[in-house]
Amino acid sequence: MCSGGFAKCLGITLIPLAIICILCNILLFFPVGKVADKSSDITEEVFYFGGILGSGVVMIFPALVFLGLKNNDCCGCCGNESCGKRFAMFSSILFAAAGAVGAGYSVIVSCVAINHGPKCVTDLNNSNYTYPFENGNYLSNHTLWDECLEPSGIITWHLTLFCILLIAGLVQIGLCAFQVINGLIGTICGDCCGCCGDSS
Ligand SMILES: *[C@@H]1O[C@H](CO)[C@@H](O)[C@H](O)[C@H]1NC(C)=O
């Protein structure tokens, strides 16, 4: 098994996921694609930056580290040819763990936001933005959706984007968990596709 090559595949998958999460979080700042009059009109969980930081920026580092694992110098340290590679695989475990924590943060924020529901106008006479739903009751009862009068379509917008963040975050956690296992194997066994012709 070639653990460096496998890590590279994980890295390649993590990059588009991180970009998707950053874009979703940015879109959430523009309810139904429009600029909000004031920031208090925007659902609070959007400002927790789950997609931009947790599943986005934090994820870039493990992704780049995984991408580089295949090309790591294996003629490194201690007079042991595979030692440098082993150390790289070992440090990738730490990056994978950090990535999983970042994605986990985004998943938690998304769950809270889906449960909480969007902020919207429920009374056109005073266009105050409030949270009309509680404990995710709107998820199973479409009649309640009529309570959100403005901006129209906000519930679909909110649900779609936070669900994408939720699913992407779960996939990221899964990929990072794979790399923890892959990194452990690489640390213990060395990368079996050694570049020095030593495949121990
Ligand atoms: C859905 O919500 C409406 C409005 O509160 C309520 O009248 C109706 O009984 C609810 N339906 C279900 C299936 O809970």
Side-chain angles (χ1 to χ4, degrees), residues 140-144 147:
S140 54
N141 189 345
H142 264 247
T143 317
L144 291 173
E147 298 210 9

Side-chain angles (χ1 to χ4, degrees), residues 4 7-8 62-73 88:
K8 187 167 188 177
L64 293 179
V65 168
F66 297 172
L67 277 176
L69 280 179
K70 193 170 165 53
N71 308 319
N72 258 300
D73 178 22

Side-chain angles (χ1 to χ4, degrees), residues 81-112:
E81 285 184 347
S82 65
C83 173
K85 274 214 154 175
R86 286 183 191 214
F87 179 73
M89 290 308 280
F90 172 71
S91 54
S92 78
I93 298 174
L94 304 179
F95 279 96
V101 170
Y105 171 72
S106 177
V107 164
I108 291 169
V109 169
S110 303
C111 285
V112 170

Side-chain angles (χ1 to χ4, degrees), residues 10-25:
L10 291 180
I12 289 173
T13 319
L14 282 175
I15 299 268
L17 281 174
I19 293 171
I20 288 170
C21 290
I22 291 173
L23 287 179
C24 283
N25 202 155

